[in-house]
Amino acid sequence: MKRVCGVAGVTAVLVAFSVACSSVEAAPSKPLPGSMSSVPGRQGVALVPAGGVLLGHYYGAGSIEETDTRIGRKPAMHLSYYGWSDDWTSASATRRDLADGRIPLVNWEPAGISFDDIISGALDQTIEARADGVKSLGSQVILDFAAEMNEEEGWGGHVPDRYIAAYRHIHDVFSARGVTNVVWAWCPNNTDSAESPSALAYYPGDAYVDWTGVDGYNWGTSTEDFRWQSFENVFSDIYVKLATLGKPILIGEMASDEVGGDKAEWIDGIVPTLQSKFPLIKALVWFDVDKERHWQINSSPEALAAYQRMAKNPYMNP
């Protein structure tokens, strides 16, 4: 719901991470964090920690260096956004993440693209180019294609069969090109649009998904349409649904506003809630930017101190 779409949008928030040209040399790979478990039948790994939760970050409120200093550690995962035509396989963000031991989380957004054209194969040239590009990286990348399909993004026109067919087609093209290092994430919104079928109606199937996921926010009380929600409140309903699929769960986007409650207390509740209520959640990504709300981790000194405590908790450092 809080997109920074395509190269232009990303650059507007984080200039240092502009998309590089295809002549950029592959960055040397370093071991990725966490104890990993294998995906049956594939050479790649699912990047699921044996215990605890991987911390991820969207760097929208400063450079990586500035933000990591602010946090007090290096998050394990880095979220970046790309439009349909953007070559995320040669982007400086992807290459730098792999060189620095971060897991790239690629949010690939097909804005303005007909899903019927994806399904028919009319856009296979782009899909094949991305498949070949990511294969050449030789390191694992998490790919979150067309997230929040059940909410206002409405990818595929809120037609689950069309969305599923497009998702599967992209997956199948990657597989046909011999790609084994993409970890496939499927991330609906935590709530459904009134005119949309429920989230699970869009599920591509177990053979096509490594991580299920969800995007969700505490919008605070800045407008009368919203009420303050705890971390548990934001994710409890969708968690029950996702848990039925038995996959590791990724919170692909999350944050809290300052208005209407105690943001520091909200952050302090994350780890206890993960441990006691949400054992299948194995990674979460904070959307660190002052956009529709005060999502940034340093929106107040108290919020930043709480975030630092959370980030240093052993449970967030598997």
Side-chain angles (χ1 to χ4, degrees), residues 158-171:
H158 280 162
V159 179
D161 287 350
R162 183 184 294 133
Y163 176 88
I164 290 170
Y167 190 106
R168 289 181 174 181
H169 181 79
I170 292 171
H171 184 287

Side-chain angles (χ1 to χ4, degrees), residues 139-294:
S139 296
Q140 275 65 48
V141 173
I142 299 178
L143 179 58
D144 182 5
F145 172 72
E148 299 185 13
M149 73 302 297
N150 60 319
E151 239 287 347
E152 63 184 28
E153 298 296 355
W155 305 120
H158 280 162
V159 179
D161 287 350
R162 183 184 294 133
Y163 176 88
I164 290 170
Y167 190 106
R168 289 181 174 181
H169 181 79
I170 292 171
H171 184 287
D172 290 345
V173 170
F174 274 54
S175 295
R177 308 290 285 192
V179 176
T180 60
N181 58 314
V182 166
V183 176
W184 295 85
W186 169 78
C187 293
N189 196 61
N190 67 321
T191 59
D192 304 317
S193 280
E195 65 274 16
S196 170
S198 64
L200 293 194
Y202 298 87
Y203 183 55
D206 289 349
Y208 291 86
V209 174
D210 299 313
W211 289 68
T212 59
V214 58
D215 296 349
Y217 293 79
N218 170 34
W219 287 81
T221 59
S222 296
T223 67
E224 62 183 13
D225 296 330
F226 296 97
R227 62 181 177 84
W228 186 267
Q229 293 182 292
S230 68
F231 176 74
E232 181 179 353
N233 293 153
V234 172
F235 295 105
S236 58
D237 289 347
I238 189 67
Y239 180 86
V240 172
K241 297 176 183 179
L242 295 177
T244 64
L245 301 174
K247 299 277 187 175
I249 298 172
L250 161 72
I251 299 180
E253 293 180 15
M254 59 165 279
S256 174
D257 190 19
E258 286 275 4
V259 180
D262 188 330
K263 183 172 178 175
E265 183 179 83
W266 194 93
I267 295 170
D268 282 333
I270 291 175
V271 171
T273 304
L274 288 170
Q275 291 175 312
S276 64
K277 303 289 186 179
F278 301 146
L280 287 177
I281 293 178
K282 298 297 183 180
L284 65 81
V285 178
W286 191 278
F287 189 73
D288 183 21
V289 64
D290 190 3
K291 202 163 177 278
E292 302 91 346
R293 299 291 190 274
H294 301 296

Side-chain angles (χ1 to χ4, degrees), residues 79-92:
L79 168 63
S80 298
Y81 296 93
Y82 300 93
W84 175 259
S85 299
D86 298 336
D87 185 359
W88 45 266
T89 69
S90 66
S92 58

Side-chain angles (χ1 to χ4, degrees), residues 84 113-115 117-118 120-128 169:
W84 175 259
I113 297 300
S114 165
F115 273 43
D117 286 344
I118 295 176
S120 71
L123 301 178
D124 278 3
Q125 183 175 0
T126 296
I127 301 169
E128 291 169 353
H169 181 79

